[in-house]
Amino acid sequence: MTAPGPAAPPPHPVPSDAPAAPDSPADPGVPAPPPGPGVAPPFAAPPTEGRRARLWLGLGVGALAVLLCCGGGGAAVVGLAVSNVQAVEEQGRAVTDDYYQALVEKDWSKAYDQLCDDARRRESRSEFEQRVATEPQISGYRVGEVDPQTLTVPVDVTLSGGKREAQTVTLAPDQQTGGMEVCGVS
C-alpha cells in the first residue's frame, strides 16, 4: 500500500492549445450529448433482420420477369414462324390447285395468270396457250403437300387417256403481292 500524499504530475504535460477532454465541452456554444440510456438517435437504424430473404425474393421476382419477357418473345417468334410456314403451304396448295383446275377446264388464259413473272418472260400468253393445247390433256389431279424449304409441290396427274404421271410444281413468291405463283412444272 502507498501512503496518501499529493498527486503526482502527469507524465507528459498537456499544452494549453490542445482540445479539451471529451468529458468537458471544448466550445461553450455546442451542447454536450445527452446522457444516459433511452436517448433516440437522430435517424432510424436500417433493419437488419430478413435482409437475405428480401434479397432472394427480389432476385426471384427479377428472374421471373426476365423469364416472362424472354419466354414470351421466344413464343412469339416460334408462333410467327409456324404461321408463316402454314401460310406458304396454304398459298402454295391454292395456286397449284387453281393452275391445274384451269388446265382441266382448258382455260389456258386463267392457267397463264397463275404463272410467275419469270415464266411469263420466257413464254408469251399465246405461246403458252399453243403449247398446252397440243400437250396431252389433264382430266384429273391430286395436289400433294408443299415443301416449304424448296417451294415445290408434288402433283399426281391423270391424263385424258387414263395414263397417270407425277409432276412437280415449282413455286415462287410474287414480288408485288407476296402471294405464291407457279414458276415451272417438271
Side-chain angles (χ1 to χ4, degrees):
M1 206 179 257
T2 60
H12 300 285
V14 177
S16 61
D17 61 341
D23 291 343
S24 62
D27 186 5
V30 177
V39 176
F43 55 88
T48 57
E49 72 271 354
R51 293 187 89 192
R52 285 185 186 248
R54 279 192 298 273
L55 172 70
W56 286 109
L57 180 63
L59 288 175
V61 168
L64 180 63
V66 168
L67 180 66
L68 287 175
C69 289
C70 293
V77 168
V78 169
L80 285 173
V82 167
S83 66
N84 188 32
V85 167
Q86 288 174 342
V88 166
E89 290 173 352
E90 183 179 322
Q91 287 181 6
R93 286 181 58 85
V95 75
T96 302
D97 185 60
D98 290 347
Y99 177 77
Y100 276 92
Q101 187 61 39
L103 292 178
V104 167
E105 295 171 355
K106 298 180 174 125
D107 187 351
W108 316 132
S109 181
K110 184 178 175 184
Y112 186 80
D113 291 339
Q114 303 300 318
L115 297 177
C116 68
D117 293 339
D118 189 42
R120 290 180 190 187
R121 278 192 290 272
R122 289 189 306 249
E123 189 173 39
S124 70
R125 184 178 296 270
S126 61
E127 292 170 338
F128 174 81
E129 291 174 357
Q130 287 175 355
R131 179 178 59 81
V132 294
T134 60
E135 290 178 347
Q137 300 303 303
I138 296 174
S139 60
Y141 63 94
R142 189 178 69 77
V143 178
E145 294 296 319
V146 176
D147 183 353
Q149 301 297 322
T150 60
L151 294 178
T152 57
V153 185
V155 181
D156 293 327
V157 177
T158 304
L159 301 176
S160 58
K163 182 180 175 191
R164 297 175 61 102
E165 67 179 45
Q167 296 182 354
T168 302
V169 175
T170 304
L171 303 171
D174 183 358
Q175 298 301 321
Q176 279 103 16
T177 66
M180 302 302 283
E181 295 178 320
V182 174
C183 246
V185 178
S186 56

